[in-house]
Amino acid sequence: MNRFMKLAISLAKKSNPFPNPRVGAVVVKDGKAIGMGFHKEAGKPHAEIVAIQNAKLRTQNLLCCRGATIYVTLEPCSHTLKRTPPCTKAIIAEGISKVVYAMGDPNPLVSDAGARTLEDAGLDVVGPTDEKAARSINKKYTASVSRKPFVAIKMAMSADGRTATRTGDSKWISGEESRAYVHRLRAKFDAVMVGAGTVIKDDPGLTSHGKGKNPFRIIIDGKLRAPAGSKVMRNNDGKTIIATSELASQEKIMSVAQRSGAHVIVCGKREVDLEALVAALGVMGMKNILIEGGSDLNAKALEAGIVERVYLFIAPKIIGGEKAKGVIGGNGAERISGAIGLGNMKVKKIGDDILLVAEIIRPSGISGSGRRTP
């Protein structure tokens, strides 16, 4: 192991920033360590930033990092879904020419993205170089990343399975009592997820309407179509997250983030990768997520295998019409044997509606995760 990486790992051992990873960094120039640091605790500057600041202090030179190499125990982060700015941005701005990292970040928001960002900026990037040693000091973090949040879908439909008329009118399928129940349900979840289509069509606030804490609002918007003036965009409490794809330009991402104050994250090449997104939200500390999307998002979530429970409201109405939308879109199963099963079903009457709560039966025949859930 390189002596500077060995020093970075020894620095990382001093940190205790859980749920964030333990990270150490060393800035090297002309064969000498000119700055070093570690991520002290969650919410404080990351190791790379501390090392850069330390280098400036020790050399009394604000430009000391120009042309330097930084050794860091973990791939530098490039996303903004956290309390501190992305480290890749600072590394590039300081004129550092080479980055050596010991291990890739298992966080799906970072994995390879940090290295790609640096390479795209013209930096020489080397890594992972010492994965075993770096992983040994981050067992707790790696384990936390592998735990996925519990995901449920809330759906409302007519007795014949429609969510809207052929003209698109959908207000209201379910009754007032059911809607109040959903407001209370939201308060039990850490986040509510919808598609851009729902934001454009219905302009929901996605709050608990005073029935408890307001959850984070996750908007699946692969092309950044959601209007800046929508309710979820106007809410400036820092709890709106927009997940988009690599089809969205960097200029548009920055524009949306600045106009709305929302966190914008890139998660997927041509469309949002729901599995990676949910894993990333778990890294953020979210334990349970409620999807309240339209038929397309419902279908994609089920196809991605992230859903464990459904809350299905059935209204005593028959809408009819071949062009009226169903509750689940997509292509669906080719054969009945490929249909998704439901188990542990519970039925209750809410006002005039019926609520069916059921667990998803996986192909292996195992339902649910066995976790404690809302």
Side-chain angles (χ1 to χ4, degrees), residues 153-165 170 173-174 198 291-303 307 310-315 319 321-332 342 356:
I153 291 182
K154 187 271 323 183
M155 300 178 281
M157 68 180 195
S158 63
D160 58 337
R162 305 296 201 271
T163 60
T165 67
S170 61
I173 292 286
S174 55
T198 296
I291 297 175
E292 292 192 50
S295 61
D296 291 341
L297 180 56
N298 291 343
K300 287 175 181 175
L302 288 165
E303 287 167 7
V307 183
V310 296
Y311 292 87
L312 179 59
F313 292 88
I314 305 167
I319 294 175
E322 290 182 0
K323 293 184 179 179
K325 268 198 171 182
V327 72
I328 308 285
N331 293 324
L342 298 177
L356 170 67

Side-chain angles (χ1 to χ4, degrees), residues 32-78:
K32 296 178 181 178
I34 62 170
M36 58 190 73
F38 59 89
H39 184 24
K40 191 173 182 181
E41 60 184 73
K44 294 287 179 69
H46 286 191
E48 298 94 321
I49 310 302
V50 177
I52 289 168
Q53 291 171 345
N54 181 248
K56 291 178 181 180
L57 185 65
R58 291 175 67 179
T59 63
Q60 294 295 295
N61 181 0
L62 294 177
L63 302 178
C64 65
C65 294
R66 294 277 173 89
T69 297
I70 188 166
Y71 290 82
V72 59
T73 58
L74 189 73
E75 177 187 359
C77 62
S78 60

Side-chain angles (χ1 to χ4, degrees), residues 135-155:
R135 283 188 178 277
S136 69
I137 60 172
N138 267 313
K139 291 177 181 176
K140 193 175 179 182
Y141 170 71
T142 304
S144 73
V145 170
S146 66
R147 286 196 291 270
K148 303 287 178 67
F150 173 87
V151 179
I153 291 182
K154 187 271 323 183
M155 300 178 281

Side-chain angles (χ1 to χ4, degrees), residues 194-204 219-221 225-227 293-294 296:
V194 299
T198 296
V199 175
I200 293 167
K201 181 175 177 292
D202 298 333
D203 193 19
I219 304 169
I220 308 302
D221 195 355
R225 298 182 299 128
D296 291 341

